[in-house]
């Protein structure tokens, strides 16, 4: 898939049938919020993902889950390879960092998301992944430095002063991790 030359997907093929999807970034962010909700079980999260993403019921739920994950990953089914760097865990939350992401996209790209309710998820992700120097990217850098134990004295002081903004709420229970692993297993089949 080439964002420059190909049409963005508005449907997903499941069991030979084209199923229209809600491809806008707001729907996909709601799905991300569902996955960040520690009150929901893994099964409930999978069901909510299917209900939010697909406009009609898909014929094969296992394939629908696999394809939903692929769509939400912007068509990239590659796993992180060797040498991709140390695993530091989550560095952001679409829920907790929403205001910083919003202003980062506005500052970096001049895109006011409030004026773009139908913006395709893949376009949103491209904007998100290309954020320049803004508070959000500085926040990510600080979180990473703290998690890796490489924070400078000044960074540790900033962390102490802004801990309520910097610390991410834990959202994954053991059951959540099992559901995520199941999604990963489905992707591997």
């Amino acid at each position: 898939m080439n964002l420059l030359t190909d049409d963005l997907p508005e449907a997903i093929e499941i069991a030979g049938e084209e199923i229209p999807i809600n491809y806008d970034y707001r729907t996909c962010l709601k799905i991300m919020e569902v996955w960040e909700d520690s009150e929901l079980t893994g099964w409930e999260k999978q069901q909510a993902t299917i209900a939010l993403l697909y406009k009609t019921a898909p014929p094969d739920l296992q394939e629908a889950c696999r394809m939903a994950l692929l769509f939400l990953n912007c068509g990239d089914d590659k796993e992180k390879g060797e040498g991709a760097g140390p695993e530091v865990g989550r560095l952001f939350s679409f829920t907790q960092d929403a205001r910083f992401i919003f202003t980062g996209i506005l500052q970096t790209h001049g895109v006011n998301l409030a004026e773009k309710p139908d913006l395709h998820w893949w376009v949103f992700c491209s904007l998100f992944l290309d954020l320049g120097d803004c508070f959000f990217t500085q926040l990510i850098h600080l979180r990473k430095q703290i998690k890796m134990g490489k924070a400078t004295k000044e960074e540790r002081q900033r962390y102490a002063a802004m801990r309520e903004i910097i610390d991410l709420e834990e959202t994954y229970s053991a059951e959540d991790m099992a559901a995520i692993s199941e999604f990963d297993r489905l992707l591997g089949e």
Side-chain angles (χ1 to χ4, degrees):
M1 172 72 193
N2 184 329
L3 285 175
L4 299 175
T5 59
D6 298 331
D7 291 333
L8 296 171
E10 296 181 6
I12 294 176
E13 185 176 328
I14 299 172
E17 184 179 335
E18 288 284 318
I19 308 295
I21 57 171
N22 296 306
Y23 55 83
D24 63 282
Y25 80 98
R26 287 180 176 176
T27 297
C28 295
L29 286 174
K30 286 177 187 173
I31 293 169
M32 298 302 166
E33 287 176 348
V34 163
W35 282 92
E36 290 182 3
D37 187 342
S38 61
E39 300 293 315
L40 298 174
T41 66
W43 184 84
E44 290 169 328
K45 291 175 184 186
Q46 290 177 9
Q47 294 302 306
T49 299
I50 290 170
L52 286 165
L53 185 61
Y54 296 101
K55 291 184 178 184
T56 60
D60 178 339
L61 293 182
Q62 183 176 3
E63 180 69 1
C65 287
R66 189 180 78 74
M67 295 305 290
L69 184 59
L70 185 61
F71 174 79
L72 293 169
N73 206 28
C74 299
D76 185 2
D77 62 355
K78 298 177 190 123
E79 292 187 30
K80 186 191 278 188
E82 299 289 325
E87 182 65 38
V88 295
R90 269 182 1 133
L91 293 175
F92 68 91
S93 161
F94 282 117
T95 303
Q96 190 173 326
D97 297 325
R99 63 185 173 186
F100 308 126
I101 295 167
F102 181 93
T103 57
I105 288 175
L106 181 60
Q107 179 183 336
T108 301
H109 303 293
V111 174
N112 183 343
L113 293 173
E115 297 172 353
K116 305 278 187 193
D118 296 328
L119 185 69
H120 195 285
W121 172 245
W122 290 14
V123 174
F124 171 85
C125 288
S126 294
L127 296 171
F128 175 75
L129 292 172
D130 190 39
L131 287 174
D133 185 27
C134 61
F135 181 79
F136 178 69
T137 57
Q138 292 170 20
L139 183 63
I140 297 299
H141 173 76
L142 185 55
R143 284 176 180 156
K144 185 174 182 179
Q145 292 298 97
I146 295 294
K147 285 185 175 199
M148 293 178 66
K150 295 184 176 184
T152 64
K153 180 180 177 182
E154 293 80 19
E155 288 171 333
R156 288 191 305 273
Q157 289 172 338
R158 279 183 40 210
Y159 172 69
M162 301 180 357
R163 199 168 177 163
E164 69 282 350
I165 292 173
I166 296 169
D167 285 343
L168 290 173
E169 297 174 14
E170 279 303 313
T171 58
Y172 298 119
S173 66
E175 185 177 338
D176 293 337
M177 291 308 294
I180 291 167
S181 294
E182 176 64 9
F183 252 39
D184 288 342
R185 184 189 69 72
L186 290 173
L187 239 178
E189 288 181 353

